[in-house]
Amino acid sequence: MADKPLRLLTADDIAAALTYPALVEALRSAFTSGIAAPVRHHHTIPQPGRDATLLIMPAWTTGGPVAERFLGCKVVTIFPDNAAAGHPSLHGNYLLMSGATGAPLALLDARALTAWRTAAASALAASYLARADAEHLVMIGAGALAPHLVRAHMAVRPIKRVTLWNRTHSRAVALAFGLAVTGVEAMIAEDLEAAVRDADIVSCATLATEPILRGKWLKPGAHVDLVGAFTPKMREADNDAVKRARLYVDTREGALKEAGDMIIPLRRGVIARKDIRGDLFELCAGQAKGRTSDKQITLFKSVGSAIEDLAAAVLVWRSLERQA
C-alpha cells in the first residue's frame, strides 16, 4: 500500500466511487470501530466582512491488522462572503495515508468529500430518528450541501415529496433544476412556515447566525436535521425547537464545543446537558435509544467529525482499488 503513487482524486472520482447507501453503512461501522479523531483545530481568520475559518481535522484507524490501517487529515477554509461574489464558500483537500507507514496514498477534493460524508451522517442519524414512513422532506438552504442532503435522506426514508426554501429564490430554483436532472422532482416553497408545518423531515444547511427554523412550526413526529451552523455563535433553530425535541448530536465533544444550536440554549438554561439523549457513537452501538414513538419530535445537530471524513476517504480508496 505504501509503494503506490499518490493519486489525485477529483469530485467526479469521488462521485463515481460512492453511493449513499454504501456510505451510510460505512459510517455506521466507523462509529463502532477503532478510529481516533481529536477535536478539530478551529481557527478564525479575520476578513473585512465576515471572518473566515480554517479547519484542520485528523483521524486514524486504531484497530485491525496494521497493514490495513489508514491515517487522514483534512484542511478546509470557509469564507462566508465568497457566495456574494459567486465563489464557493468552502475549499479544502483531504490527504489519505497508510496507517502502517504514513506514506501518502491519495489527495481528495475535500469539498466534495465533505458534502458526501456530511449528508451521509445526517442520513445515518435519520435512520434512527426519523419516522420509518417519513415522506415529505423540506430542505432549507440551497448551497452545495443541499442536493447531497436531499439524496442522502431519500436513501434511508421513503421520501415522496421534496420542498425547497432559500432566502434567495433564484438559488432554490437552480437547486430544483439540478435535482430534476438526477430524477428528483422538487417544489419551491414561498412560505417557509407552511412548508415546515407539513414536513416529516426538515433539513437545514445554511450560514445563518440567527434562527431560521421555529419550533412552534414543527408537527408531532417531525425530525429536524441541523447541519449549517458550525460555530458557537451560529444557530439555525430557536429555543422552542430544542425544547420540544429529543436532542441528538454527531459527537458530544464536538457539539458542546462548536454547535451554537446546542451551546446557546445550554448557556441560557433552556436545556441541560442531560437533554442530549445520544450521539452517533451511542446510537450506532445501541447504547442510546432513538425515536421511541411516532409523535416525538427529534432533532439532530451535526458539526462534522474527522471519523466521517476518514471513513468516506477509505471507502473511495477501496472502491477505486477494486476497479483497478
Side-chain angles (χ1 to χ4, degrees):
M1 191 162 60
D3 295 329
K4 294 180 180 294
L6 180 70
R7 299 184 67 169
L8 300 179
L9 302 179
T10 66
D12 288 341
D13 295 324
I14 292 169
L18 296 179
T19 66
Y20 272 113
L23 184 52
V24 168
E25 293 312 310
L27 294 189
R28 200 187 308 273
S29 176
F31 275 100
T32 56
S33 62
I35 296 180
V39 174
R40 62 189 177 189
H41 298 257
H42 191 287
H43 303 281
T44 298
I45 312 299
Q47 295 294 305
R50 287 183 290 178
D51 288 344
T53 303
L54 171 67
L55 302 177
I56 302 172
M57 302 174 66
W60 55 90
T61 52
T62 59
V66 173
E68 296 179 8
R69 294 180 185 176
F70 292 89
L71 163 65
C73 186
K74 184 170 75 173
V75 178
V76 173
T77 58
I78 303 169
F79 281 65
D81 288 345
N82 282 5
H87 304 303
S89 298
L90 185 149
H91 292 279
N93 286 288
Y94 191 89
L95 180 61
L96 181 67
M97 296 160 275
S98 164
T101 68
L105 301 175
L107 188 65
L108 297 86
D109 181 329
R111 187 165 178 259
L113 191 74
T114 299
W116 276 88
R117 66 80 154 150
T118 301
S122 286
L124 174 61
S127 73
Y128 297 102
L129 303 178
R131 289 200 331 266
D133 62 350
E135 296 184 349
H136 183 200
L137 169 67
V138 170
M139 183 70 238
I140 302 175
L145 275 175
H148 289 274
L149 286 161
V150 170
R151 289 191 285 265
H153 281 297
M154 294 182 74
V156 297
R157 286 296 182 263
I159 304 297
K160 296 180 180 178
R161 288 190 294 147
V162 176
T163 302
L164 311 175
W165 184 89
N166 192 68
R167 289 189 189 276
T168 305
H169 186 268
S170 61
R171 295 191 70 185
V173 172
L175 174 59
F177 277 114
L179 288 170
V181 170
T182 63
V184 178
E185 297 297 329
M187 62 179 294
I188 298 172
E190 301 296 337
D191 184 338
L192 178 58
E193 177 180 349
V196 170
R197 285 187 180 279
D198 189 52
D200 299 316
I201 300 175
V202 182
S203 186
C204 198
T206 73
L207 294 175
T209 56
E210 296 295 331
I212 296 174
L213 180 65
R214 306 294 173 184
K216 65 182 180 181
W217 299 344
L218 299 168
K219 72 179 184 181
H223 171 59
V224 177
D225 171 40
L226 300 179
V227 178
F230 56 88
T231 76
K233 296 181 180 180
M234 302 172 72
R235 63 189 305 196
E236 296 180 302
D238 69 0
N239 288 340
D240 284 343
V242 296
K243 284 176 64 177
R244 294 186 67 196
R246 288 172 63 93
L247 305 177
Y248 300 83
V249 296
D250 52 357
T251 68
R252 290 179 185 271
E253 193 173 21
L256 293 176
K257 180 180 179 182
E258 299 182 342
D261 279 299
M262 297 291 107
I263 293 171
I264 295 171
L266 278 168
R267 286 176 177 169
R268 295 176 179 174
V270 176
I271 58 172
R273 288 195 176 206
K274 65 179 177 59
D275 293 320
I276 299 177
R277 304 297 186 98
D279 60 17
L280 287 180
F281 294 104
E282 295 159 340
L283 286 169
C284 292
Q287 297 170 352
K289 292 182 179 180
R291 174 178 293 275
T292 58
S293 82
D294 286 344
K295 297 296 184 181
Q296 289 171 346
I297 295 173
T298 54
L299 185 152
F300 172 69
K301 175 56 195 165
S302 169
V303 293
S305 167
I307 291 173
E308 301 158 8
D309 294 306
L310 183 61
V314 169
L315 186 60
V316 171
W317 173 258
R318 287 176 170 163
S319 176
L320 294 176
E321 285 288 279
R322 287 194 299 268
Q323 298 171 22

